[in-house]
């Protein structure tokens, strides 16, 4: 289950029941620190806010007091999504700001803990609001005047891996993987956050061997 913090509630918001039809991902292009979260929660003169912020250490902050009954201001200018335009995009979507420095100078650009938290939060929201992967979009994709490109360089392949696992309900059974070209025990251990020794043990692979073959089905985690 995702751990959602409620330390801050945004000032800029509009009350009223809403129907959530999607999720919009952003990056903050700010300091890349907790100050970005504080800014989005504050009475800032840009009038912006967001439903969630995910910090670089993987903490999730919900700035909306009530997701089903409050609209936050994250994508209301020059946007179009699912027949919604401008302000109504805000009403129909949950915004997630991924905390990021404006010049992308932090390394890695998106730490693993942050990508995981975004993916698990998205899975949690998809379950809660009956959405699917196709309902998750980005500010860059819904902007109509070309003025936004965020979330910049976000690793969507890694996001998808974690999102799919989370939607399938991790812990409900073993995690399996079919070996494709380029996979090694080392790369799989890293990707699934386990060890080479554990994968070998689960699959009865000889201690002295590191051989896996394309098409082979592996249990990578219990
Ligand atoms: Zn944005």
């Amino acid at each position: 289950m995702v751990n959602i913090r409620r330390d801050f509630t945004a000032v800029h918001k509009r009350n009223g029941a809403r129907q959530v039809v999607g999720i919009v991902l952003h990056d903050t292009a700010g300091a890349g620190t907790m100050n970005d979260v504080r800014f989005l929660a504050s009475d800032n003169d840009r009038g912006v806010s967001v439903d969630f912020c995910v910090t670089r250490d993987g903490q999730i902050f919900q700035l909306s007091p009530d997701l089903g009954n409050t609209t936050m201001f994250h994508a209301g200018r020059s946007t179009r999504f699912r027949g919604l335009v401008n302000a109504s995009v805000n009403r129909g979507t949950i915004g997630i700001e991924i905390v990021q420095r404006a010049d992308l100078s932090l390394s890695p650009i998106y730490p693993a803990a942050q990508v995981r938290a975004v993916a698990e939060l998205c899975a949690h929201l998809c379950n809660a609001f009956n959405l699917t992967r196709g309902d998750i979009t980005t500010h860059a994709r819904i902007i109509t005047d070309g003025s936004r490109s965020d979330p910049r360089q976000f690793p969507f392949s890694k996001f998808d891996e974690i999102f799919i696992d989370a939607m399938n309900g991790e812990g409900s059974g073993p995690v399996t993987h079919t070996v494709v070209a380029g996979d090694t025990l080392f790369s799989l251990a890293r990707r699934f956050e386990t060890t080479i020794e554990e994968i070998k043990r689960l699959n009865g692979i000889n201690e002295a061997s590191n051989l896996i073959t394309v098409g082979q089905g592996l249990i990578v985690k219990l």
Side-chain angles (χ1 to χ4, degrees):
M1 205 58 204
V2 287
N3 179 24
I4 295 174
R5 301 191 56 148
R6 303 291 294 265
D7 307 47
F8 307 94
T9 300
V11 171
H12 294 298
K13 53 186 181 280
R14 179 171 296 137
N15 293 328
R18 64 205 288 237
Q19 198 195 347
V20 175
V21 298
I23 297 171
V24 180
L25 301 180
H26 304 258
D27 76 59
T28 57
T33 67
M34 276 301 297
N35 282 344
D36 295 3
V37 183
R38 290 192 190 96
F39 175 80
L40 286 158
S42 73
D43 187 13
N44 60 76
D45 57 13
R46 287 176 56 203
V48 297
S49 61
V50 76
D51 295 272
F52 292 93
C53 287
V54 180
T55 54
R56 291 175 55 78
D57 58 0
Q59 293 194 84
I60 300 167
F61 291 89
Q62 182 176 330
L63 306 190
S64 164
D66 180 350
L67 296 174
N69 291 291
T70 313
T71 292
M72 314 307 283
F73 303 143
H74 63 96
R77 197 185 54 75
S78 302
T79 47
R80 188 182 296 275
F81 176 70
R82 298 278 157 84
L84 305 172
V85 182
N86 301 340
S88 59
V89 174
N90 281 333
R91 198 161 62 244
T93 60
I94 291 175
I96 300 176
E97 287 278 0
I98 307 167
V99 170
Q100 181 59 259
R101 189 175 284 178
D103 63 5
L104 298 179
S105 63
L106 297 172
S107 180
I109 295 179
Y110 296 97
Q114 190 179 32
V115 178
R116 171 167 293 279
V118 174
E120 290 180 347
L121 173 61
C122 283
H124 169 71
L125 294 170
C126 283
N127 283 325
F129 290 96
N130 225 348
L131 306 174
T132 66
R133 176 64 180 86
D135 300 318
I136 303 172
T137 189
T138 66
H139 204 182
R141 264 195 262 158
I142 63 168
I143 200 79
T144 57
D145 65 4
S147 64
R148 294 290 184 274
S149 57
D150 60 308
R152 299 159 297 162
Q153 298 187 37
F154 190 68
F156 278 103
S157 59
K158 183 67 189 170
F159 167 90
D160 280 331
E161 259 172 40
I162 300 166
F163 175 80
I164 290 163
D165 281 352
M167 287 297 277
N168 288 339
E170 274 186 347
S172 62
V175 179
T176 60
H177 173 76
T178 302
V179 176
V180 299
D183 283 345
T184 62
L185 284 173
F186 179 75
S187 69
L188 293 176
R190 247 172 67 155
R191 176 172 353 149
F192 291 97
E193 295 174 339
T194 180
T195 63
I196 293 172
E197 291 67 34
E198 178 69 357
I199 297 176
K200 284 186 180 182
R201 192 182 67 77
L202 291 172
N203 296 279
I205 298 172
N206 191 300
E207 250 176 68
S209 167
N210 278 320
L211 186 70
I212 52 174
T213 52
V214 171
Q216 183 179 0
L218 292 175
I219 299 169
V220 287
K221 239 181 180 178
L222 287 182

